[in-house]
Amino acid sequence: MNANLTSWWSDPSWLLHGVDGRRREVSLTLTNRQELSWEPFLDTRWSREGATGAVVPMELFLERQPSGPPPLFLWHTAFCGSTLLARCLDRRGRCLSLKEPWAVTQLAAAARVGLVGEREIGAAWSSLGRGFAPGEKVLIKPSNGANTLLADIGAAGERMVLLNSSLRHFLLSVARPIEARRPYVRHLMANRVMCGRVRLDAVEVGPRSSGA
């Protein structure tokens, strides 16, 4: 692929892939529309081995903030068919679905502890909102771990959908013998406790099953 790093702010082939609030830098990876559309998850499960990448200081990223239109959002509570819906909405030239970009998950984590604010979040949306064709919209389906950003997006009046399932179906999905589901949910819970969003004294804990 031919792409010049000096044009990362205008070339959607340079995807915002990581946000480091402590080091005040962002990481970019060189990709293409076909790959972004095909990948089910643009997080740590997306192999970037051998891919071209770059690290840009946060202040430079903010200074040369890409001028993409606001993206659309598909929020979800996990295990509720959101990936399938995002795939169905992906149509070349009309809508590009970005499924669980790692940068959004890191952005939410940094925002929870005050390392980034409205300016950094806005720049991230502008960067991720760039389509590959004139008029092409971008739909972002964040990880449910980034749902702490939902209130701010709603307050800004951005267009979005929140997809969820019943508590029963969520718990049944977590209980299925699929590797990493239970540790993932425990990690989310621990993160919310550390950030003060969940009070343990308000959580009723039942007996632990032998399969937990």
Side-chain angles (χ1 to χ4, degrees):
M1 289 179 287
N2 294 321
N4 191 329
L5 180 57
T6 60
S7 65
W8 60 263
W9 59 87
S10 61
D11 185 354
S13 298
W14 286 104
L15 179 77
L16 176 64
H17 187 49
V19 175
D20 191 327
R22 296 191 184 280
R23 294 186 177 183
R24 298 292 296 171
E25 60 188 27
V26 301
S27 59
L28 308 170
T29 186
L30 188 59
T31 182
N32 57 63
R33 194 201 185 284
Q34 182 177 349
E35 184 175 21
L36 293 174
S37 176
W38 184 86
E39 281 293 330
F41 301 104
L42 298 170
D43 54 14
T44 55
R45 289 165 285 190
W46 182 27
S47 175
R48 304 310 295 147
E49 184 177 355
T52 301
V55 175
V56 175
M58 181 71 77
E59 296 311 313
L60 178 59
F61 179 71
L62 296 174
E63 177 186 336
R64 297 187 177 182
Q65 176 179 332
S67 56
L72 310 174
F73 293 93
L74 172 56
W75 303 92
H76 61 97
T77 56
F79 318 133
C80 58
S82 58
T83 301
L84 175 61
L85 178 57
R87 280 191 176 279
C88 291
L89 294 173
D90 190 296
R91 289 292 182 272
R92 181 178 293 275
R94 299 190 64 181
C95 179
L96 168 63
S97 295
L98 301 179
K99 298 169 285 296
E100 309 203 6
W102 183 234
V104 176
T105 302
Q106 290 190 310
L107 189 71
R112 284 194 292 268
V113 295
L115 294 175
V116 298
E118 291 183 7
R119 189 180 178 205
E120 291 86 354
I121 294 172
W125 298 149
S126 294
S127 179
L128 292 169
R130 298 172 297 171
F132 282 78
E136 184 174 55
K137 297 289 188 180
V138 173
L139 172 73
I140 299 177
K141 189 206 83 156
S143 163
N144 65 310
N147 282 355
T148 47
L149 294 173
L150 198 158
D152 294 331
I153 298 300
E158 303 295 355
R159 299 175 64 186
M160 61 182 182
V161 171
L162 173 60
L163 191 65
N164 69 290
S165 60
S166 68
L167 176 59
R168 178 176 182 274
H169 284 101
F170 176 81
L171 293 176
L172 287 174
S173 296
V174 173
R176 292 177 62 191
I178 297 178
E179 183 181 359
R181 279 198 175 180
R182 294 187 187 186
Y184 172 69
V185 172
R186 293 190 186 109
H187 171 76
L188 286 180
M189 180 66 170
N191 187 280
R192 299 303 183 272
V193 171
M194 287 190 298
C195 293
R197 293 180 177 270
V198 174
R199 291 173 42 206
L200 285 180
D201 58 0
V203 177
E204 183 177 345
V205 181
R208 183 175 178 177
S209 69
S210 58

